[in-house]
Amino acid sequence: MQNDKENSKSIQNKLSTVKYNCDDSTHLIVSQEKCAKCKDKTCTYICPAGVYSVDENTGEIVVQYENCLECGACRIACPKHAIDWNYPHAGCGVIFKNN
Amino acid sequence: MDINYNADSIIVGAGPAGISAALEIARAGKRVVLIERSPHPGAKNMYGGSVYTHALKEILKEDFDLIKYERIITSHTWSFLNEKGSFEMTYNNNDSTASYAVKRFNLEKQLIEIAKKRGVYYIPNTLVKELLVQNGTVYGVKTELEEYYAPVTILADGVNSLLARKINLRSDFKPQDMILSVKEAIKLDKKTIEERFNLKEDCSNGVNKQYFGTNFGYLKCIKNLFMMTFLYTFKDTLMLGVGANLGDLTKNKININFVIDEVKKHPDIAPLIKGGETIEYSAHLIPEGGFKKMPKLVTNGAIIVGDAAGFINSVHFEGTNFALMSGKYAGETAVSALDSGTYTEQVLSAYVKKLENSFILKDLYSYRNIIERLHSRSNSLSVYYPNKIAELFEIITDANCISKASQIRKYMFDFLKERGLREVVKDMFAFSKCGADVFFGK
Ligand SMILES: Cc1cc2nc3c(=O)[nH]c(=O)nc-3n(C[C@H](O)[C@H](O)[C@H](O)COP(=O)(O)OP(=O)(O)OC[C@H]3O[C@@H](n4cnc5c(N)ncnc54)[C@H](O)[C@@H]3O)c2cc1C
Ligand code: SF4
Ligand code: SF4
């Protein structure tokens, strides 16, 4: 079945093909309070860019917003509606050139 | 309302829907502002893909001939995958010019050039944060830097349609209302593509393949995964993507990248992409809720078009045609409203009438239950039947020195026994209902 380590390596490889104009602040804000009570941590396995992970020490959700492909899946899939999801600032974020 | 309008109409989002609406309004001599958050047209957008030319011609008129494509899609294949191979059906029409393979980066760029030439005022690099509303009437938009005012605002902001939600024109989506899709643009030598897919050097033909079935690799361990794979030939790129129901992915705790990686290993697909290099990875949602999840389409001073309204036929990957034509109808409606000087919901409802009289609402209506029906039988569709069909063809082609009649009798007997009469009847019922919906359109 799905091997999470291999999958996240595969995602990282593919993300290296994507061009971004990096924003200086995050466009994805999670409510750590709600996340602490979330059993499934859906965001950590649903995101096609592997943006979300759990910090091993604090147990908090870490958001690598720089890798976001702006699809919107995490916002809808999060069972607790804990993601304040916005577009990056104008001109920032992903740039698809070969789509 | 006493507002100093600085435009006749504002369009949010420069995808096919927004550009089409803007063109229609500009052609009528009105001042139209088209706002796009991306620095380059099309750079936030993703599709299979090919754009449908019947709709494009209606929108562009004499400018249609300016559109450059990579290949014309003339061949369509529907393929049911199993562990060892596939069963497939192909329709070739070498004279067809119904759909063009064009990258979105180039499609939107070309459309914007034409729109600007026809008088559209294009503002890229600008994010609309909010709609301006007073007494239940939309009178403009607020961007990160400034405000724009116009009596008619058209929301063409795509599948996530944050703006429509903010003014309560739609309720929020559930995971099962969406397909999550990822795609890889795979670079291959032009000549290799032509040899592999039997294509001409002049790019006058091209292939679209749709694959169904999950009974292979590790995907066969996943229960009830409703998904589809697509492949398009571009000039020197193959577009390979998968789309799966977001609810199914969530329930099964499956990442969509894992799905495409498994698909790439399938014995029918691996040789097609062999030697290719992935030059871009992308992700996008497709609204699957269709007719039943449609938002309120008009309100005082605003109209919703394209993906933002959920106008898509996800069974056939048709979206650009819905976007282009709904944009045109919204544009026509805006022009009449501007001429009459009233922009109420009632006046703008002419847009809904136009949709009802067109393929847009007719198709959405006749397909309203199909996805749900197919989804409810996803195990039959993705696993059981692809396998059974493969078994049948094995009997037909194996020349194994056993009488065909006895093998086929056994096959039928096993089929009814394994599947159970109840399941067979349920499958037949669901599939024939789908056929009847499309046929009768009611
Ligand atoms: C995997 C996949 C495959 C597909 N394959 C096909 C195919 O082969 N053929 C086909 O016809 N259709 C296909 N479709 C569907 C098609 O791509 C869409 O239906 C179509 O692009 C919708 O057009 P649109 O203009 O409504 O929205 P979009 O193309 O999404 O455009 C919306 C625009 O609005 C901008 N925007 C959003 N919010 C704001 C804001 N607040 N401020 C400023 N700008 C904003 C975005 O940046 C974007 O440019 C596919 C879709 C997917 C996901
Ligand atoms: S799924 Fe939602 S609630 Fe759960 S951890 Fe992720 S963001 Fe937090
Ligand atoms: S929008 Fe898509 S790519 Fe971005 S974090 Fe959410 S799921 Fe991941």
Side-chain angles (χ1 to χ4, degrees):
Chain A
M1 266 307 275
Q2 181 175 322
N3 176 326
D4 293 340
K5 266 214 182 103
E6 256 174 46
N7 188 54
S8 96
K9 220 167 94 191
S10 156
I11 289 178
Q12 290 313 315
N13 278 337
K14 290 180 195 179
L15 288 180
S16 70
T17 66
V18 183
K19 198 172 170 302
Y20 297 94
N21 268 352
C22 191
D23 205 346
D24 51 15
S25 62
T26 183
H27 58 287
L28 310 164
I29 302 167
V30 298
S31 150
Q32 297 288 357
E33 230 166 84
K34 289 185 183 167
C35 297
K37 295 191 205 116
C38 171
K39 266 211 306 258
D40 277 349
K41 305 274 192 276
T42 313
C43 57
T44 62
Y45 59 80
I46 213 68
C47 170
V51 163
Y52 302 89
S53 56
V54 179
D55 184 302
E56 278 175 27
N57 299 317
T58 63
E60 288 202 338
I61 296 290
V62 182
V63 186
Q64 276 176 287
Y65 71 91
E66 306 88 338
N67 290 342
C68 175
L69 298 167
E70 298 164 35
C71 69
C74 54
R75 188 182 74 79
I76 297 169
C78 166
K80 298 199 179 294
H81 305 286
I83 304 174
D84 178 10
W85 193 98
N86 286 292
Y87 292 115
H89 290 110
C92 299
V94 72
I95 297 174
F96 294 132
K97 291 196 142 180
N98 285 292
N99 244 322
Chain B
M1 245 184 308
D2 203 16
I3 287 160
N4 242 340
Y5 295 123
N6 44 16
D8 293 322
S9 184
I10 298 163
I11 322 276
V12 186
I19 300 173
S20 162
L23 249 175
E24 192 66 35
I25 298 171
R27 278 213 174 92
K30 314 281 181 199
R31 291 173 306 163
V32 55
V33 173
L34 173 61
I35 305 177
E36 167 60 47
R37 68 189 180 97
S38 170
H40 310 280
K44 298 288 183 185
N45 304 340
M46 183 265 231
Y47 76 160
S50 63
V51 58
Y52 295 104
T53 55
H54 286 291
L56 212 48
K57 276 179 203 158
E58 287 242 359
I59 308 303
L60 298 179
K61 305 193 166 71
E62 67 274 21
D63 295 326
F64 173 77
D65 295 332
L66 299 172
I67 295 293
K68 295 201 180 65
Y69 54 82
E70 296 202 20
R71 289 188 193 275
I72 302 178
I73 299 298
T74 50
S75 168
H76 298 264
T77 296
W78 295 268
S79 178
F80 294 85
L81 298 174
N82 58 60
E83 184 118 42
K84 301 173 207 161
S86 63
F87 160 70
E88 59 182 42
M89 231 167 16
T90 297
Y91 168 67
N92 278 328
N93 177 351
N94 290 306
D95 293 340
S96 173
T97 53
S99 73
Y100 287 176
V102 194
K103 289 178 184 166
R104 293 299 289 265
F105 196 79
N106 293 330
L107 176 64
E108 267 93 326
K109 189 160 111 190
Q110 300 183 68
L111 295 178
I112 289 285
E113 282 313 313
I114 294 170
K116 285 204 293 203
K117 195 175 78 185
R118 296 287 166 198
V120 172
Y121 189 64
Y122 177 57
I123 310 178
N125 242 327
T126 302
L127 177 70
V128 171
K129 297 289 282 180
E130 264 165 62
L131 297 172
L132 300 169
V133 187
Q134 197 181 69
N135 303 329
T137 300
V138 177
Y139 66 94
V141 303
K142 185 171 185 225
T143 71
E144 285 166 308
L145 298 174
E146 56 195 314
E147 295 185 350
Y148 294 86
Y149 311 109
V152 185
T153 299
I154 297 179
L155 305 181
D157 55 339
V159 60
N160 284 300
S161 77
L162 299 183
L163 296 171
R165 218 160 29 90
K166 277 193 184 154
I167 59 164
N168 291 324
L169 292 181
R170 72 148 56 257
S171 54
D172 212 353
F173 299 105
K174 303 220 161 34
Q176 59 269 27
D177 303 330
M178 286 289 171
I179 300 175
L180 173 57
S181 180
V182 286
K183 186 178 92 169
E184 291 183 36
I186 301 174
K187 183 128 186 132
L188 259 179
D189 189 48
K190 176 169 179 281
K191 219 166 152 210
T192 310
I193 293 183
E194 281 152 8
E195 280 164 12
R196 265 181 211 177
F197 292 89
N198 199 12
L199 300 181
K200 294 186 207 153
E201 266 173 48
D202 66 359
C203 296
S204 65
N205 62 352
V207 169
N208 160 225
K209 284 169 169 271
Q210 289 180 31
Y211 299 93
F212 307 88
T214 56
N215 202 30
F216 58 90
Y218 285 120
L219 296 185
K220 67 171 178 282
C221 313
I222 306 170
K223 270 203 197 103
N224 294 324
L225 179 66
F226 188 58
M227 67 158 270
M228 194 155 96
T229 299
F230 58 84
L231 185 138
Y232 287 84
T233 57
F234 279 56
K235 200 176 194 169
D236 56 3
T237 322
L238 296 177
M239 300 294 183
L240 178 72
V242 298
N245 182 276
L246 185 59
D248 292 354
L249 291 167
T250 309
K251 269 185 239 147
N252 287 295
K253 303 198 176 181
I254 293 296
N255 186 272
I256 187 82
N257 178 61
F258 171 75
V259 178
I260 195 169
D261 279 351
E262 285 303 296
V263 163
K264 283 165 75 181
K265 291 184 217 152
H266 187 278
D268 270 31
I269 294 173
L272 297 179
I273 56 172
K274 191 171 165 232
E277 181 203 353
T278 296
I279 53 166
E280 193 165 87
Y281 174 65
S282 54
H284 207 89
L285 291 174
I286 306 178
E288 198 179 45
F291 195 81
K292 293 184 180 170
K293 297 285 166 158
M294 220 160 54
K296 191 161 172 267
L297 297 169
V298 292
T299 183
N300 296 322
I303 304 179
I304 309 185
V305 295
D307 270 14
F311 293 157
I312 205 163
N313 184 331
S314 52
V315 180
H316 303 302
F317 273 92
E318 286 182 26
T320 55
N321 50 340
F322 284 75
L324 290 164
M325 291 308 291
S326 62
K328 179 179 159 69
Y329 297 140
E332 288 169 2
T333 307
V335 170
S336 315
L338 287 164
D339 287 340
S340 76
T342 38
Y343 320 102
T344 55
E345 183 174 322
Q346 201 190 2
V347 168
L348 298 183
S349 294
Y351 167 63
V352 183
K353 274 269 149 348
K354 286 175 193 275
L355 293 171
E356 278 168 357
N357 291 330
S358 76
F359 74 101
I360 296 180
L361 283 190
K362 286 182 184 157
D363 278 6
L364 276 187
Y365 186 73
S366 55
Y367 277 76
R368 74 196 178 286
N369 294 317
I370 289 186
I371 285 280
E372 236 168 88
R373 287 205 179 97
L374 296 179
H375 195 176
S376 75
R377 308 308 295 162
S378 64
N379 221 39
S380 324
L381 260 183
S382 305
V383 179
Y384 190 75
Y385 287 106
N387 254 16
K388 269 330 249 190
I389 296 173
E391 276 178 38
L392 179 63
F393 277 90
E394 195 166 344
I395 295 175
I396 296 173
T397 57
D398 212 24
N400 60 1
C401 308
I402 304 172
S403 101
K404 292 265 188 290
S406 69
Q407 288 186 78
I408 287 178
R409 267 202 304 274
K410 180 168 178 317
Y411 173 88
M412 287 308 295
F413 183 76
D414 286 351
F415 169 61
L416 291 173
K417 202 171 84 182
E418 281 160 24
R419 189 78 187 142
L421 205 51
R422 235 177 101 202
E423 287 300 298
V424 175
V425 170
K426 272 195 193 161
D427 290 338
M428 293 305 139
F429 183 74
F431 301 150
S432 53
K433 280 287 256 185
C434 291
D437 284 352
V438 179
F439 186 77
F440 296 110
K442 282 272 164 261

